[in-house]
Amino acid sequence: MKRRKKRKIAGILKVFTLLLLPSLIAASASGIRGIKRSGTDYEQIAEAAPASALKPDTPPSVREIDIPERLPEDELSGSLILSEGYGVSAESEPSAELQKLKSPLEMSSADPGTKPYPTNWEETGDIVRTTYQKYSGNAFFDLEKCGQVNNKTDIPNEELRAESVCLPNFTISDTSEPQVLIYHTHTCESFEPFVREHYDASFNFRTTDATKSVVMVGDAIQAELEAQGIGVIHVRTIHDDPSYTGAYDRSRASIVPILEQYPSIKVALDIHRDAISGEGIAYQPYTEVNGKEAAQVMIISGCDDGTMGMPEYMKNFHFACALQQQLEGDTPHLTRPILFDYRKYNQDLTTGSLLIEVGSHGNTLEQVQYSGQLIGRSLGRLLNSIRKETK
């Protein structure tokens, strides 16, 4: 385009902006009261929400947290922006189509095990639906493109921010060998059957039925990765039944031989679900994606305090930050901040080892399955972008 034509277009845009500016300012002033405050620490929000924080037009048993208003300067600073579209490019735009999976409610297991999923439900506790947004406070910092980190360690935020821009310390290649390992230390973790007003307190949200547990979420992640040409091994072994204690030792015993047999594996994901609750309340953190509800997810990246035998923990953190930005860039509001804390969780085994909490016990089976698909799609895009960069 010639320089004169560019100047002409710029002039037209300037006039157009000047004409509309008064209207935009008026609309902003009238709507400022409707902006929700984000930035509440998820540990605090796990406590029971006060009655004054609940929407009056919502039935008392299906409650949505209405977070208090932000200060006006937040609107002016632009700090409400959560995502800047990381990972979006013309040649790698994600397909809107995910793999067609059967609803978990329609699935049945040939062997539901010793703790089958309930078929009859009582109504004893309340479910609170909420969407966690951007967090504030000294423990939180923004990643370069989008997403956040919750730093629970003594490492300064500025040091971690500098580390967060590093690419993952591994690449994938064109091979028929598996490159991703999915497993579940707490294999029996389960979810709500569907969106409803109350949960059943007699159900401890654990089941040996793989169609109704985190194993089903792993299946969804696997389907999306394999659709993008990435080989996956999914360990479906139950590690937390009949005994919950020692589950991490048992999951380690399951995956170490696989990692030794397949050195091609670069990523090891331990897929869990969170448990966010208050007295008589189960929280359901969700977001809407293309007209469908997805459970919000949280990545946990462990830090070594010098006693855990995990000297390469920062390499896992590099991967966590890359995946967080890919997830949040592809699907704004899908993630909660990365939890960076003094935890091991078998993350010494590869430099691509992470624990991912997919929703909480208050989320529904279909919400977490959808999140699994979104995780798989974004992870596949990230891994394939690494493969492209190495050619």
Side-chain angles (χ1 to χ4, degrees):
M1 185 184 293
K2 292 183 178 180
R3 190 175 302 170
R4 182 183 304 172
K5 189 173 181 181
K6 288 182 178 179
R7 287 200 299 266
K8 183 176 179 181
I9 292 173
I12 293 171
L13 290 173
K14 185 175 182 180
V15 171
F16 183 72
T17 301
L18 289 172
L19 288 172
L20 286 181
L21 188 58
S23 307
L24 293 172
I25 292 173
S28 176
S30 63
I32 200 168
R33 290 288 181 185
I35 298 176
K36 292 182 179 180
R37 180 178 179 83
S38 61
T40 307
D41 191 315
Y42 65 86
E43 291 181 346
Q44 296 172 344
I45 209 165
E47 301 299 325
S52 60
L54 305 176
K55 292 183 178 179
D57 57 347
T58 305
S61 50
V62 182
R63 298 183 286 183
E64 307 229 9
I65 294 176
D66 195 3
I67 304 173
E69 298 169 357
R70 278 182 171 269
L71 297 175
E73 55 264 28
D74 290 329
E75 276 72 65
L76 301 176
S77 68
S79 61
L80 286 175
I81 297 173
L82 178 64
S83 170
E84 295 180 3
Y86 172 71
V88 176
S89 64
E91 65 177 5
S92 60
E93 186 72 22
S95 169
E97 295 296 325
L98 297 169
Q99 299 302 298
K100 295 187 182 302
L101 302 179
K102 182 182 290 187
S103 166
L105 293 171
E106 299 173 355
M107 297 179 187
S108 60
S109 176
D111 180 13
T114 58
K115 291 184 174 65
Y117 194 72
T119 55
N120 297 310
W121 301 94
E122 297 178 4
E123 297 185 346
T124 49
D126 294 339
I127 294 176
V128 175
R129 288 159 54 84
T130 187
T131 300
Y132 298 118
Q133 300 183 43
K134 192 171 182 179
Y135 292 70
S136 61
N138 294 333
F140 299 92
F141 67 87
D142 296 346
L143 293 171
E144 181 183 30
K145 298 180 176 72
C146 57
Q148 292 184 297
V149 174
N150 181 9
N151 179 16
K152 294 289 190 181
T153 74
D154 295 329
I155 301 174
N157 286 349
E158 287 307 312
E159 183 176 333
L160 288 179
R161 187 178 284 109
E163 293 284 352
S164 72
V165 302
C166 298
L167 289 173
N169 296 87
F170 58 84
T171 58
I172 68 166
S173 56
D174 292 314
T175 176
S176 60
E177 294 288 294
Q179 299 186 80
V180 174
L181 173 64
I182 297 172
Y183 68 104
H184 313 275
T185 295
H186 295 154
T187 321
C188 295
E189 288 178 330
S190 188
F191 307 89
E192 278 288 288
F194 39 74
V195 176
R196 57 182 182 165
E197 297 183 351
H198 305 286
Y199 70 91
D200 185 348
S202 67
F203 176 45
N204 68 352
F205 294 95
R206 299 182 68 239
T207 180
T208 49
D209 184 344
T211 68
K212 305 296 189 294
S213 72
V214 289
V215 175
M216 173 268 296
V217 181
D219 288 339
I221 297 172
Q222 179 180 4
E224 295 301 322
L225 288 171
E226 290 180 341
Q228 296 185 61
I230 298 170
V232 179
I233 290 180
H234 184 188
V235 177
R236 304 163 67 87
T237 305
I238 293 176
H239 300 114
D240 58 342
D241 185 76
S243 175
Y244 192 83
T245 303
Y248 280 97
D249 292 335
R250 288 188 288 276
S251 66
R252 187 181 187 90
S254 289
I255 66 175
V256 165
I258 296 172
L259 293 173
E260 291 175 347
Q261 182 178 355
Y262 296 102
S264 56
I265 292 176
K266 304 299 175 63
V267 172
L269 301 180
D270 191 0
I271 304 300
H272 290 242
R273 63 114 174 99
D274 211 341
I276 311 173
S277 62
E279 186 64 35
I281 292 174
Y283 286 90
Q284 186 179 109
Y286 77 101
T287 187
E288 189 170 303
V289 183
N290 296 325
K292 187 175 178 180
E293 291 184 357
Q296 290 185 295
V297 305
M298 180 177 69
I299 297 170
I300 299 180
S301 183
C303 179
D304 191 348
D305 62 1
T307 67
M308 301 180 184
M310 195 166 60
E312 295 190 308
Y313 68 88
M314 196 60 78
K315 293 181 179 180
N316 287 327
F317 181 69
H318 297 163
F319 175 45
C321 293
L323 180 56
Q324 175 84 350
Q325 292 179 95
Q326 187 74 55
L327 285 167
E328 192 63 30
D330 288 345
T331 312
H333 309 295
L334 180 64
T335 68
R336 296 155 58 194
I338 295 169
L339 177 59
F340 185 68
D341 199 1
Y342 294 114
R343 308 183 186 208
K344 188 170 183 178
Y345 295 147
N346 292 328
Q347 293 184 8
D348 59 313
L349 296 177
T350 76
T351 57
S353 292
L354 298 173
L355 187 152
I356 303 181
E357 304 271 16
V358 183
S360 183
H361 64 305
N363 285 103
T364 72
L365 294 166
E366 290 188 340
Q367 287 172 346
V368 297
Q369 183 188 53
Y370 188 32
S371 294
Q373 291 183 281
L374 296 172
I375 292 168
R377 183 176 70 177
S378 290
L379 176 58
R381 294 187 66 213
L382 174 62
L383 296 180
N384 279 317
S385 73
I386 295 172
R387 172 160 48 193
K388 290 176 183 176
E389 290 173 4
T390 61
K391 288 182 178 179

